[in-house]
Amino acid sequence: MDRADHVSILYDGEKHEVPSGRTILSALEEIGIGFVRGVGCRGGVCGACTVLYRISDETEFHAALMCQEPVQAEMEILPLPYFPQKKVRHSLDLPEGETPHYRVVNYYPEINRCIMCGECSRLCPVGIDVMGYVGMIKRGELREAAWESFTCVQCQACALRCPGQIPQPNAALTARLFHGRHQVPQAEHLTRALEKNRKEDIHAVIGRLRRMKPVEIQALYQRREIEPQNAPPGTWLPEDRTLIMMG
Amino acid sequence: MAVNQSHTLPESLRESARLVEKTREERLARLLRGETFPLLSLSDRRAWLEEYHPDYQLEGRRTLGVGPSKGMETPVELADLLEAWPRANVLSLYEDSDKRLAQEPDHVTDVLIIGGGGAGMAAAITAAEAGAKVTIATKLRPGDSNTIMAEGGIQAADQECDSPVQHFLDVLGGGHFTNDPDMVEALVTDGPETLRWLEELGLLFDKYATGRMKTRHGGGTSRKRLHSCGDVTGLEIMRVLQDRAEYLGVETIQFHPAVELLTDENGRAVGVVLERIPQGETLVVRAKAVILATGGFGRLHFRDFPTSNHYGATADGLAIAYRAGLPLRDIQSCQYHPTGVAYPEQKLGLLLTEKFRGLGAQILNRHGDEFVHNLEPRDVTTATIIRECSEYDNGVETPGGVNGVWLDIPLIELLHGRGTIEREFPGRFKEFIGKGFDIRKWPVLAYPTLHYQNGGVVTGTDAATDMPGLFAAGEVTGGVHGKNRLMGNALLEILVFGRRAGEGAARFAAEFGAGGKPGLSHLDAFLEELTVAKIDRQRTAPRLLPVYGKVRPV
């Protein structure tokens, strides 16, 4: 290595000297390697810039998001912009007599092939216990699986290395959807709000505001009563209830 | 995950962070007594904005001399994009248009949606459910958008103490009464049913065991009206929408940004020209109706501000719409999110959601003192942070030489109990702890970041533009938010107007069919104006992707 503030890496089979202290993405851009595919949000949530890397002379290799991972000396990097993972097109309907758990396992029977090697959890660049949620789905703990997989960025690293060829991220998506649709109770206060909105003429009340002079509506705005931070849900009501259509 | 020590606070920042720790107990005691930093009056708001908000400074602006919004001031980076020639491949089509465009199109559909983010995906679902054949053309992959980066939540009036009318008032005041009231009325009245729609699609809202939604305040709200899915609300919405769209058979053409509209002899939109990137060849798509859902302009980095935006947020749709003769509004108005990450530098400009402040995190100067109520509208908070750092010199300087103020996240657990941060911010918590930085223990340095395009293409409440057959929804449009958007209204907007656009486009397609011969005659007047104004022919738009380091443009 020639320059102290640079490190040597191997990206997609080519050797490069890149500035240190940067993410892999910005270090590569700095020396002129541009991206069309394989880069997305640049904020660590879209999973487009997944790479596998290994430090020369080490055995273990890792998965990372290029927009998040600092560049290190002697990284050998394989970009992984796409992985052909199984995805089932399905509705959220639940036929009579079936459980959400049954539906999910039916769409993704591969989850029964988990041999608990733990490679998926080890690789996950956003720290999800992938093997953990696969087990949860298997056991019918859809709620637990939904929240364990909640921050998944669909980078596909887990699926790539799975010896059971389980499409974990897509199975987790289906688990979350069935859990959300069928196991989480609907919000009753929302149902009541929808009913109230159907009964009341909201447009007439808004129309009254719209006909106000600027000074009047500004005064109304400044007089707004602010719901206290610590008010328990659904308990507090303002003194003036005309705008919420309660008399 | 490997713990990387270089991401913990360096000694130079710790000193000030300890001052934050020192004042925390007293600030907590004040909060528990119900005392908050006072909210500014409307006249003080105006004074701070005019003096310190980047939108109100003349520097970095230019008056448009060409096109339908001639005379309007915009940031120079955007003006360069609006007053620009079509890309070379479009110009060659234009000069040769009869030949190439008279041939069979490469692709035919009923409703073509440009952009695969939240607005586009919501439109796709609605149009497909109405029976139309729907195609999404997107620059990157379907779903790649600012939507997935939205952390904090979605507003809608569903609580007992709330109503769409109250929401209406908050939106207008937040926008300093510059919003289009018709658009605001559509936004707020569709709010509650939009929540129900998402619930039925299986979206995992933060809820109590009874199914009641957890709601909280955002900047500028008078009621707790913000609904979230942890701190990955936009990502969760996108995943759910995308799954639904796939199920309905919506087809996608990825890595094909739109570079020009196609119009017939009556001036109606009848398709688009796509460019395959990075190869550059064009693809001609015929459609009975077109929806513009291309998002915003954050990646133009006005005045070198960092941005919280997606890689593709380069205002392509604005450039295309503008030269097709569509007027823009409030396009000089940018939202600088008050709390972008200032340190570590790898995360510069990325978002620290307003939900942190909604749960009590305070903004503090280098002495550990409050200087602004933690829930003012965004532009006001941004202006006061800039003032605190520039005028009063009370910012914290990072090793990289950028200024910041503290966001006191640890305060949240003193207010709401242990485990709150990990539960409410699973995305950010895992991201920071993976880098060896514990946001439960340390405050994070923040500074305003270029976040949102408040203005854009003018539409009606049916999402129709002035051009027949062309609809628009989401960040590319203007009017809903006026000159300043409140938190949580962007996610609501993309769904409300995305669905309206999908419905309108499907109806238009069914009613009016394919239209006439596709061409580029809508460019005639604009190219003439460019020639007269002697605009350099090297200046072309859309740009498609931002340019960093030594990378060459697409």
Side-chain angles (χ1 to χ4, degrees), chain B residues 245-376:
Chain B
E246 277 173 23
Y247 171 68
L248 292 169
V250 170
E251 58 179 10
T252 53
I253 306 176
Q254 51 183 349
F255 300 111
H256 275 81
V259 287
E260 196 58 72
L261 288 172
L262 290 171
T263 52
D264 70 4
E265 55 282 7
N266 299 317
R268 182 197 136 178
V270 291
V272 296
V273 180
L274 304 177
E275 177 176 325
R276 179 174 174 228
I277 53 173
Q279 293 84 352
E281 65 245 30
T282 52
L283 196 79
V284 174
V285 183
R286 287 278 328 238
K288 296 172 183 164
V290 177
I291 300 174
L292 204 58
T294 47
F297 58 28
R299 285 277 157 193
L300 299 182
H301 292 285
F302 302 141
R303 301 169 80 190
D304 290 330
F305 259 88
T307 183
S308 59
N309 279 197
H310 191 275
Y311 192 31
T314 51
D316 300 0
L318 288 184
I320 293 169
Y322 194 66
R323 61 180 177 232
L326 297 174
L328 310 176
R329 59 166 289 170
D330 298 319
I331 204 63
Q332 74 289 2
S333 160
C334 317
Q335 180 159 85
Y336 295 84
H337 192 291
T339 55
V341 175
Y343 186 87
E345 275 143 58
Q346 287 92 334
K347 296 191 179 301
L348 188 69
L350 293 175
L351 219 57
L352 294 160
T353 168
E354 197 165 308
K355 188 178 167 189
F356 282 117
R357 281 177 286 140
L359 277 170
Q362 294 172 330
I363 296 177
L364 309 167
N365 63 23
R366 67 185 166 108
H367 306 295
D369 294 329
E370 272 184 281
F371 55 91
V372 60
H373 187 284
N374 61 345
L375 289 172
E376 293 279 7

Side-chain angles (χ1 to χ4, degrees), chain A residues 180-181 183-195 198, chain B residues 157-160 192-193 195-200 203 205-215 227:
Chain A
R181 178 73 178 84
Q183 296 181 328
V184 177
Q186 265 199 348
E188 280 174 28
H189 72 289
L190 178 57
T191 308
R192 287 196 300 274
L194 287 165
E195 274 163 19
R198 266 192 295 274
Chain B
D158 58 345
Q159 282 212 92
E160 289 79 353
E193 64 188 69
L195 293 184
R196 179 47 45 90
W197 184 62
L198 291 173
E199 235 187 0
E200 285 173 352
L203 192 90
F205 281 111
D206 293 336
K207 285 182 166 186
Y208 299 101
T210 56
R212 190 183 176 96
M213 307 254 190
K214 292 185 178 172
T215 55
H227 307 74

Side-chain angles (χ1 to χ4, degrees), chain A residues 29 35 40 46 68 87 89 150 152 181 185 187 189 191 203 210 224-225 227 229 231 243-244, chain B residues 141 158 160-161 163 170 182 185 196 199-200 207 217 222-224 239 243 246 311 347 550:
Chain A
E29 285 178 334
F35 293 90
C46 81
Q68 298 290 304
K87 172 113 202 261
R89 265 172 60 180
F150 199 62
C152 171
R181 178 73 178 84
H189 72 289
T191 308
H203 294 285
R210 294 183 56 171
R224 288 174 312 158
E225 295 169 59
E227 181 181 1
Q229 277 284 4
L243 293 190
I244 61 167
Chain B
R141 307 168 307 164
D158 58 345
E160 289 79 353
C161 62
S163 75
D170 283 354
D182 287 334
E185 187 167 341
R196 179 47 45 90
E199 235 187 0
E200 285 173 352
K207 285 182 166 186
H217 274 300
S222 61
R223 304 293 143 83
K224 293 189 208 164
R239 298 190 286 218
D243 191 77
E246 277 173 23
Y311 192 31
K347 296 191 179 301
K550 294 198 184 108

Side-chain angles (χ1 to χ4, degrees), chain B residues 277-549:
Chain B
I277 53 173
Q279 293 84 352
E281 65 245 30
T282 52
L283 196 79
V284 174
V285 183
R286 287 278 328 238
K288 296 172 183 164
V290 177
I291 300 174
L292 204 58
T294 47
F297 58 28
R299 285 277 157 193
L300 299 182
H301 292 285
F302 302 141
R303 301 169 80 190
D304 290 330
F305 259 88
T307 183
S308 59
N309 279 197
H310 191 275
Y311 192 31
T314 51
D316 300 0
L318 288 184
I320 293 169
Y322 194 66
R323 61 180 177 232
L326 297 174
L328 310 176
R329 59 166 289 170
D330 298 319
I331 204 63
Q332 74 289 2
S333 160
C334 317
Q335 180 159 85
Y336 295 84
H337 192 291
T339 55
V341 175
Y343 186 87
E345 275 143 58
Q346 287 92 334
K347 296 191 179 301
L348 188 69
L350 293 175
L351 219 57
L352 294 160
T353 168
E354 197 165 308
K355 188 178 167 189
F356 282 117
R357 281 177 286 140
L359 277 170
Q362 294 172 330
I363 296 177
L364 309 167
N365 63 23
R366 67 185 166 108
H367 306 295
D369 294 329
E370 272 184 281
F371 55 91
V372 60
H373 187 284
N374 61 345
L375 289 172
E376 293 279 7
R378 282 184 174 166
D379 55 349
V380 177
T381 311
T382 286
T384 54
I385 292 173
I386 292 174
R387 178 194 58 173
E388 194 70 12
C389 292
S390 61
E391 177 77 13
Y392 298 156
D393 199 18
N394 276 336
V396 186
E397 199 180 315
T398 70
V402 293
N403 252 310
V405 292
W406 293 110
L407 182 64
D408 193 15
I409 297 173
L411 187 61
I412 291 173
E413 297 216 329
L414 300 179
L415 284 165
H416 302 283
R418 267 204 196 163
T420 309
I421 290 172
E422 198 177 342
R423 189 179 65 243
E424 298 291 335
F425 308 95
R428 256 18 65 192
F429 175 74
K430 277 186 177 161
E431 184 182 323
F432 275 89
I433 203 82
K435 310 273 187 242
F437 189 93
D438 192 344
I439 56 173
R440 294 170 302 190
K441 297 204 173 75
W442 293 96
V444 180
L445 266 189
Y447 196 75
T449 180
L450 185 50
H451 183 57
Y452 188 80
Q453 169 185 309
N454 288 316
V457 177
V458 178
T459 72
T461 53
D462 54 358
T465 69
D466 288 352
M467 178 186 281
L470 182 68
F471 297 77
E475 197 172 346
V476 72
T477 66
V480 184
H481 311 294
K483 293 191 188 307
N484 180 56
R485 176 177 68 84
L486 294 185
M487 175 199 189
N489 280 339
L491 286 180
L492 181 59
E493 176 197 12
I494 58 172
L495 300 177
V496 166
F497 293 100
R499 293 174 75 195
R500 286 173 178 238
E503 204 182 299
R507 203 184 312 120
F508 187 94
E511 201 172 328
F512 297 102
K517 216 168 101 234
L520 294 164
S521 58
H522 60 279
L523 291 177
D524 295 348
F526 188 76
L527 300 192
E528 178 64 30
E529 274 193 78
L530 290 177
T531 309
V532 172
K534 296 195 172 64
I535 301 295
D536 183 353
R537 284 187 167 257
Q538 301 298 316
R539 198 204 278 168
T540 61
R543 273 316 135 72
L544 307 184
L545 289 170
V547 170
Y548 298 111

